[in-house]
Amino acid sequence: MKKLGLGILGSGKGSNCRAILEHISAGKLPAEARLIVSDVFEAGILDIAREFRVPNVYLPPGKFRTRLEPNVEMELVRLLREAEVELVVLAGFMRVLKEPMLAAFPRRIINIHPSLLPKFPGVESWKQALEAGEKIAGCSVHYVDAGIDSGEIIAQRNVPVLPGDTPESLHARIQIAERALYPEIIAQFCEA
Ligand code: GRF
């Protein structure tokens, strides 16, 4: 089967990226990570890229805090196209994507978010779930649109909120679910 070309974007430690690369290495995901990009120079995701020998690049984001500077975003499109990326996978990428990326990869950019969207978009959503007294939390994989965690939902996985949970314990349980769900959903794109 032809392998689906992935571009993985992240700003943090990269545990979802590692899970995806491990699934590929184990032959459980017929995909090829063609480029890993981070807007954070010292992000763990770049170490993971080097560990798995995936081409990687640090992309200085420019002067804005929550998005890329337009010329930088155009450069990102160029890099992903040059690497023949077919599906863009956001794995802890902390910037909102705008028109250059959305137009270049229509319905080909996905994200994973640690809540049962549409509940609790934005940051520290596990904390929001705990504070709201939810009994069930979880994670969502969704298409990326111009909003924050607002695109069409592709799949979700529930985890229980247990008595005595702290934000940390709940977050850890959600992340375990994320690392299983994301490779599974990417595999569906490989079949499409
Ligand atoms: C994940 O919890 C994901 O849901 C959110 O950012 C976090 C990234 O973690 N979008 P990691 O960098 O994959 O470890």
Side-chain angles (χ1 to χ4, degrees):
M1 195 202 283
K2 193 181 157 292
K3 291 185 174 171
L4 185 72
L6 306 182
I8 305 175
L9 275 52
S11 311
K13 67 182 192 312
S15 64
N16 280 286
C17 178
R18 176 181 290 283
I20 294 163
L21 298 178
E22 283 175 354
H23 274 72
I24 293 174
S25 300
K28 292 192 256 176
L29 186 55
E32 182 181 51
R34 298 203 172 133
L35 187 65
I36 293 177
V37 182
S38 183
D39 59 323
V40 176
F41 182 72
E42 67 277 15
I45 195 168
L46 290 176
D47 294 327
I48 293 172
R50 291 185 276 265
E51 181 187 329
F52 283 81
R53 300 186 190 288
V54 177
N56 59 86
V57 56
Y58 160 60
L59 191 65
K63 60 175 183 269
F64 302 116
R65 206 172 49 84
T66 58
R67 61 188 170 102
L68 299 170
E69 231 172 79
N71 63 319
V72 174
E73 190 160 335
M74 265 136 70
E75 172 65 3
L76 176 60
V77 169
R78 196 191 65 73
L79 289 167
L80 293 167
R81 282 194 170 137
E82 189 181 68
E84 298 185 12
V85 165
E86 296 160 297
L87 180 69
V88 180
V89 174
L90 306 191
F93 188 65
M94 298 306 284
R95 288 172 193 269
V96 180
L97 293 176
K98 299 284 176 189
E99 206 44 36
M101 277 294 290
L102 298 175
F105 295 97
R107 277 177 91 77
R108 276 287 176 274
I109 310 176
I110 60 174
N111 182 41
I112 189 152
H113 180 76
S115 80
L116 297 174
L117 291 170
K119 283 185 173 176
F120 315 124
V123 295
E124 299 198 321
S125 47
W126 58 91
K127 222 183 215 174
Q128 299 181 49
L130 204 56
E131 280 163 9
E134 298 289 316
K135 297 281 175 278
I136 307 280
C139 54
S140 307
V141 176
H142 64 92
Y143 288 106
V144 170
D145 66 10
I148 295 177
D149 306 319
S150 56
E152 184 187 328
I153 294 166
I154 301 167
Q156 298 185 307
R157 187 140 300 167
N158 294 353
V159 306
V161 180
L162 300 177
D165 255 340
T166 60
E168 292 72 29
S169 63
L170 179 58
H171 188 205
R173 195 174 308 119
I174 293 171
Q175 286 201 309
I176 291 170
E178 287 187 334
R179 290 170 209 143
L181 179 65
Y182 218 5
E184 220 175 85
I185 298 309
I186 294 167
Q188 290 177 11
F189 279 86
C190 297
E191 288 158 17

